[in-house]
Amino acid sequence: MDERRRRFRLYAWGVLAYNVLVILWGGFVRASGSGAGCGSHWPLCNGVAVPRDAATATLIEFAHRITSGLALFSVVGLIVWAFRVYPRGHRVRKGAAVGMGLMVLEALIGAGLVLLQYVAYNVSVARGYWMAAHLFNTFLLLAALTLTAWWASGGGVPRFRRGGSLGIALAIALGSTLILGVSGAVTALGDTLAIGGGIDPATEPIVAALVGLRVIHPLLALAVGVGVAVAVVLGRKAGPMARVFGLGVLSLYLVNLAIGLVNVRLMAPVGVQIFHLLTTDLIWIGLVLFTAAALGEPALDRRMHSA
């Protein structure tokens, strides 16, 4: 690997790590009820470029906008660098291009949440759908950035059709984890409204429905965990990298289940919510890496020879 590609590889992993931090800060904005800190203005904050003598909520939201803007520029740098270092049609170029598209969509969804005032303690069915779409796109963005970094490191492209039962199990694990993530985002919204906003579920049916997900979400997590465990067991012979990623995913999943129980027990304190979000993001990234390692061309070749 030449020096330019080595530096790009490090940069790609750095972009992924930075975007995880931005996601965590976004979670803090939601959990702390600071989403309306800049009013309904976007990209300005309360009608100005830089707020002065701002309240705490404004500073929190403004900081999120700054870090999100830097995340956008980091992905712009990723795609420009990828097109300079890799030839036409290379998988790294494609990964960076998909990441760029998803990052733009991420920014548009964020702007829509602000302009439509689906922030802070707003109670509406539409906000739930927007939150679900936001999490769905965020997971896809993380997957694109993860694969871009993985391919820049020499990893192969996962081939689900050639993977047989393992390919089916991993497709189910990825899809169900994505659904679980959306469920978690909507459940967290219910906690924000009921606990942070003090909105009584007895008088607000939408909040009552969101709070009701506290029961459904853990049960869904257990079911998805079984599916992930099956995929990890099936992929145990796919090579050392796959085994490492698989064990890492299972370990994080067990930790996350425990954090989820603590979160419910303690009535969703902000710090526990953010830690829960961190482990969720790491599980998703680990599952994407496990899939790429287990279903990449070299891994598939090893499985076929050992069968």
Side-chain angles (χ1 to χ4, degrees):
M1 182 180 295
D2 63 37
E3 184 63 20
R4 291 190 306 165
R5 292 193 177 187
R6 187 188 70 82
R7 291 179 178 177
F8 176 86
R9 178 192 65 192
L10 295 175
Y11 178 75
W13 288 113
V15 169
L16 173 62
Y18 178 71
N19 274 271
V20 170
L21 293 177
V22 173
I23 291 167
L24 296 180
W25 189 255
F28 178 70
V29 171
R30 188 264 313 149
S32 63
S34 303
C38 287
S40 58
H41 300 87
W42 191 92
L44 298 177
C45 183
N46 291 326
V48 297
V50 180
R52 296 184 177 181
D53 300 323
T56 300
T58 301
L59 293 175
I60 292 173
E61 167 62 8
F62 185 67
H64 179 54
R65 294 191 182 188
I66 294 296
T67 55
S68 298
L70 292 175
L72 174 62
F73 283 116
S74 74
V75 178
V76 170
L78 187 73
I79 188 172
V80 170
W81 200 347
F83 273 68
R84 290 177 63 88
V85 173
Y86 294 91
R88 184 189 303 271
H90 197 282
R91 64 189 63 167
V92 172
R93 277 192 174 195
K94 294 177 181 178
V98 171
M100 186 72 252
L102 290 168
M103 176 57 81
V104 171
L105 184 55
E106 187 86 341
L108 292 176
I109 293 174
L113 286 168
V114 171
L115 295 175
L116 296 174
Q117 300 184 44
Y118 294 148
V119 291
Y121 303 118
N122 170 279
V123 179
S124 64
V125 174
R127 184 182 182 184
Y129 288 120
W130 274 77
M131 289 294 294
H134 198 9
L135 188 283
F136 188 86
N137 188 78
T138 297
F139 265 34
L140 293 183
L141 172 62
L142 287 179
L145 295 179
T146 299
L147 288 174
T148 301
W150 170 253
W151 291 333
S153 303
V157 177
R159 307 293 184 184
F160 286 90
R161 291 184 179 180
R162 291 179 59 197
S165 58
L166 175 59
I168 295 173
L170 281 169
I172 293 173
L174 287 166
S176 59
T177 301
L178 194 54
I179 294 172
L180 177 63
V182 170
S183 168
V186 178
T187 301
L189 174 60
D191 289 334
T192 297
L193 296 174
I195 300 174
I199 301 173
D200 187 356
T203 60
E204 182 53 68
I206 295 176
V207 176
L210 293 175
V211 171
L213 289 173
R214 289 181 187 169
V215 177
I216 299 174
H217 181 65
L219 296 176
L220 181 60
L222 289 174
V224 172
V226 172
V228 171
V230 169
V232 170
V233 171
L234 290 175
R236 67 189 184 281
K237 296 181 180 179
M241 290 294 290
R243 283 196 295 273
V244 170
F245 290 137
L247 289 175
V249 168
L250 278 183
S251 299
L252 282 171
Y253 206 98
L254 292 173
V255 170
N256 211 27
L257 287 175
I259 296 171
L261 292 175
V262 172
N263 191 49
V264 173
R265 182 70 176 176
L266 299 181
M267 299 298 289
V270 173
V272 177
Q273 287 190 56
I274 301 306
F275 193 33
H276 195 31
L277 178 59
L278 172 61
T279 50
T280 298
D281 289 342
L282 293 179
I283 289 168
W284 174 249
I285 292 170
L287 188 57
V288 170
L289 289 171
F290 173 62
T291 301
L295 296 181
E297 295 91 334
L300 285 173
D301 291 340
R302 281 194 295 271
R303 289 184 69 234
M304 289 177 179
H305 284 106
S306 62

